[in-house]
Amino acid sequence: MKIELEDVRHVYAAGTTFEVAALRGVSLAVEPGEVLAVVGGTGSGKTTLVRHLNLLLEPTSGRVLVDGEDARVLRRSELRGRIGLVFQSPEEALFAPNVFEDVAFGPRRMGVGEEEVEKRVQDTLQRLGVAHLADRSPFALSGGEKRRVAIAGVLAMHPEVLVLDEPTAGLDPATRGELLDVVCGVRDEGGTVVIVSHDLDEVAEVADRVCVLECGEVRAFGRAADVFYAEPRYAPATVRTAALVARDYPGVGRPVSFRETLAALRGVLGRETT
Amino acid sequence: MGPNGGGKSTLARLSNGLLHADSGRVRVAGLDPAREPYLVRRRVGILFQNPDSGLVAPFVEDDVAFGLENLGAPREEMRERVAEAIRAVGLSGYERREPHTLSGGEKQRVALAGLLAVGPEVLVLDEPTSMLDAAGRREVLERVHALRGNRTVLHLTHHLEEVLDADRVLVLNAGRLVADVAPEWLVSDATLLRENRLVLPTVSRLALGLGLPPAKPRTPEELAAAVGERAERRVGRR
Ligand SMILES: Nc1ncnc2c1ncn2[C@@H]1O[C@H](COP(=O)(O)OP(=O)(O)OP(=O)(O)O)[C@@H](O)[C@H]1O
Ligand SMILES: [Mg+2]
């Protein structure tokens, strides 16, 4: 599925003294099968942007297209099933008496048969490493566990596009890594992922393309390496290091991920260092 | 520090009487927070992990003033301290915004402003930067560092780079205190890190992978300089 935003503006509280133009003419496309990261400072419009992808928020002006068709003509329930959105701090939305029921809610509402629901719930809980929690109350879980259950609830709907708003904020580094593995897994199976993050180091590990927002406008958009090397303010530690080393040793190239960067720096130091 | 579910937030809540210990003793300046929570809360301020849960007032400025009001601060002084705190977190102009309309990071800054306005003896910060971008994170850390010497800060975090300047680091895992060490010690103990699901900052991991001491370069600039030096020495030898 391809999603396009066409000159999307979004104004909150229009006509009042607190009017905020959160998006000021954003155009971009989410290509099928890619991991697209949305980065930018506090209040730059990231959450507002990703909530437009399934029309949870509607543009004040401009259009959202799904496979070339105006998203407004599609049924909202269908749209929300095909484009699964995991909120910032999703654990606040957990509500069912136990984890199983919570994750089953989405697929059931989509009309999936009970047998299939059961299978999906078990599979997704397994995939997120929380199968052992199925019977527990979602309220009595740790922060990291709640986060995984909330993500499982969206994944169980088998969305074509998975949208994650700061999915790793507040997680311990090991849990964060496991969650990023899940993201890569979804992509490897042909799914599309849009991830909002303020952790550029993690963006460097997962993103194919990066969109930088500043005050509601797209400041940069493109392949991760192109964006990071052009915008040092939004570059992860790997890129910032390599860019500095490249001044004297251009052979270091333009690595982005940790592995690429380590290999490139080793190259500069010669093979004797391991 | 310590893995999710390790007990950090529980410890924070015990420190001001929001939770009571089943056994054992908690003392804050000689007071038992379970028995005298109000006296303790005059001295201990907590910034909670989830900023949504703490914001209660209709407007940002009321929210920031909330703690001061509870302490019965005089009006004029209150107004100044509130304005100063809002400025300190970079939210000037947001005074009359409604907290529920703010972005995640903005809410987190409002909550921090409320705590700074009160300026308690002990600040307990439960992941104060979890929703901030790199620049916002640096600003908050600078604020926290500025308190050093005249305030006590208990900083709960998952980011090792945020504790490198701490006097002590305590590691909690599965409800047990498993380490009480200097930060340099923690970053050089691979086993301790692994057992507690801690990961070194990217710069340190790169340094380690290149055979440089992991605690030394902290920034990309320092790492690049170290790499440059090494490479030059190698060329020089030839
Ligand atoms: N319901 C609302 N009413 C009024 N203004 C809003 C509302 N929601 C968001 N805003 C404003 O719109 C702007 C963009 O907010 P948004 O939540 O999209 O930012 P963000 O990039 O996700 O930030 P963060 O990194 O802090 O989560 C901010 O200035 C915010 O204060
Ligand atoms: Mg947001």
Side-chain angles (χ1 to χ4, degrees):
Chain A
M1 178 196 293
K2 176 168 177 159
I3 310 175
E4 289 159 283
L5 302 195
E6 241 180 41
D7 198 21
V8 168
R9 286 179 54 80
H10 190 90
V11 182
Y12 289 110
T16 73
T17 39
F18 301 117
E19 186 171 298
V20 178
L23 297 179
R24 309 163 186 244
V26 169
S27 299
L28 57 84
V30 183
E31 299 292 344
E34 75 171 338
V35 176
L36 173 64
V38 180
V39 307
T42 299
S44 58
K46 305 181 293 296
T47 297
T48 307
L49 171 69
V50 296
R51 288 186 177 195
H52 278 80
L53 296 175
N54 67 358
L55 289 197
L56 198 65
L57 283 178
E58 294 214 16
T60 307
S61 68
R63 294 199 304 167
V64 179
L65 305 177
V66 170
D67 287 332
E69 211 180 350
D70 194 322
R72 271 173 300 196
V73 308
L74 299 172
R75 280 216 320 277
R76 289 305 140 88
S77 56
E78 183 199 326
L79 209 52
R80 310 259 151 95
R82 291 175 66 193
I83 305 170
L85 177 60
V86 181
F87 293 116
Q88 197 164 355
S89 318
E91 43 280 15
E92 285 162 50
L94 298 173
F95 67 97
N98 64 50
V99 165
F100 183 96
E101 292 297 315
D102 212 296
V103 176
F105 179 79
R108 269 190 198 140
R109 204 181 40 174
M110 291 169 63
V112 175
E114 196 51 31
E115 210 171 301
E116 167 74 7
V117 166
E118 205 156 298
K119 184 172 166 308
R120 284 193 189 186
V121 173
Q122 271 156 7
D123 286 351
T124 31
L125 288 178
Q126 187 89 44
R127 176 162 194 176
L128 285 151
V130 284
H132 60 293
L133 300 176
D135 298 326
R136 293 262 299 272
S137 159
F139 304 104
L141 304 176
S142 81
E145 290 165 345
K146 282 185 189 168
R147 184 74 56 84
R148 295 188 207 205
V149 170
I151 294 173
V154 171
L155 268 185
M157 295 195 285
H158 288 185
E160 290 163 59
V161 181
L162 177 65
V163 184
L164 301 157
D165 193 352
E166 301 203 6
T168 62
L171 297 184
D172 67 53
T175 307
R176 211 181 308 160
E178 288 161 14
L179 209 62
L180 294 178
D181 289 343
V182 171
V183 167
C184 293
V186 170
R187 191 250 326 262
D188 294 344
E189 287 165 17
T192 307
V193 183
V194 178
I195 180 172
V196 175
S197 175
H198 47 234
D199 185 336
L200 297 165
D201 290 347
E202 101 188 1
V203 169
E205 298 309 309
V206 299
D208 298 310
R209 292 198 302 162
V210 177
C211 171
V212 179
L213 281 185
E214 228 173 62
C215 300
E217 291 179 18
V218 176
R219 181 187 164 95
F221 185 59
R223 301 205 58 80
D226 295 335
V227 170
F228 289 148
Y229 280 92
E231 300 280 344
R233 267 188 61 209
Y234 293 97
T238 48
V239 169
R240 288 168 55 202
T241 305
L244 290 166
V245 170
R247 289 181 187 166
D248 294 326
Y249 303 91
V252 76
R254 303 203 310 165
V256 172
S257 72
F258 181 84
R259 274 184 45 192
E260 289 164 5
T261 309
L262 186 57
L265 293 175
R266 279 181 177 158
V268 168
L269 292 183
R271 272 194 212 91
E272 72 231 81
T273 36
T274 46
Chain B
M1 304 200 78
N4 288 126
K8 301 183 295 299
S9 299
T10 304
L11 190 71
R13 288 185 157 78
L14 285 168
S15 75
N16 81 343
L18 274 174
L19 284 178
H20 300 180
D22 291 325
S23 65
R25 267 163 40 112
V26 181
R27 289 292 179 274
V28 176
L31 301 168
D32 179 352
R35 283 165 171 259
E36 301 182 281
Y38 296 103
L39 284 180
V40 169
R41 282 174 209 167
R42 284 174 170 261
R43 317 180 98 162
V44 180
I46 301 193
L47 179 69
F48 291 103
Q49 181 169 9
N50 182 346
D52 279 308
S53 56
L55 305 179
V56 287
F59 297 114
V60 164
E61 58 184 3
D62 308 321
D63 217 290
V64 175
F66 187 73
L68 275 178
E69 258 167 14
N70 280 350
L71 294 179
R75 273 249 158 272
E76 212 23 61
E77 184 194 331
M78 202 162 91
R79 200 163 303 142
E80 268 169 39
R81 280 166 75 172
V82 167
E84 160 59 21
I86 290 179
R87 209 169 327 129
V89 298
L91 285 184
S92 299
Y94 280 68
E95 290 79 0
R96 303 291 290 168
R97 284 280 299 273
E98 299 172 59
H100 70 89
T101 69
L102 301 178
S103 76
E106 287 165 350
K107 285 180 188 162
Q108 199 159 35
R109 287 164 187 246
V110 171
L112 179 64
L115 190 60
L116 290 175
V118 173
E121 252 176 84
V122 181
L123 291 90
V124 180
L125 310 174
D126 196 349
E127 294 184 40
T129 66
S130 63
M131 307 230 191
L132 302 183
D133 58 290
R137 175 169 291 183
R138 260 196 310 278
E139 281 166 32
V140 167
L141 292 177
E142 275 163 24
R143 281 274 143 198
V144 172
H145 284 175
L147 297 170
R148 181 182 223 117
N150 53 45
R151 293 287 189 272
T152 302
V153 177
L154 193 60
H155 181 172
L156 320 186
T157 178
H158 287 301
H159 293 270
L160 262 173
E161 59 268 45
E162 296 190 351
V163 305
L164 292 176
D165 289 316
D167 295 308
R168 290 159 69 203
V169 183
L170 309 185
V171 180
L172 272 181
N173 191 342
R176 290 179 189 281
L177 186 61
V178 294
D180 176 352
V181 296
E184 307 81 64
W185 181 272
L186 178 62
V187 297
S188 48
D189 187 336
T191 315
L192 190 59
L193 292 172
R194 183 165 10 86
E195 283 175 356
N196 295 290
R197 298 172 69 86
L198 295 167
V199 175
L200 288 173
T202 304
V203 168
S204 308
R205 281 188 295 135
L206 284 173
L208 206 60
L210 294 170
L212 299 163
K216 199 67 179 304
R218 285 192 186 180
T219 61
E221 289 75 21
E222 288 171 13
L223 176 58
V227 169
E229 243 169 64
R230 272 269 176 114
E232 236 166 71
R233 248 188 283 148
R234 203 179 131 254
V235 176
R237 266 212 307 274
R238 270 193 192 152

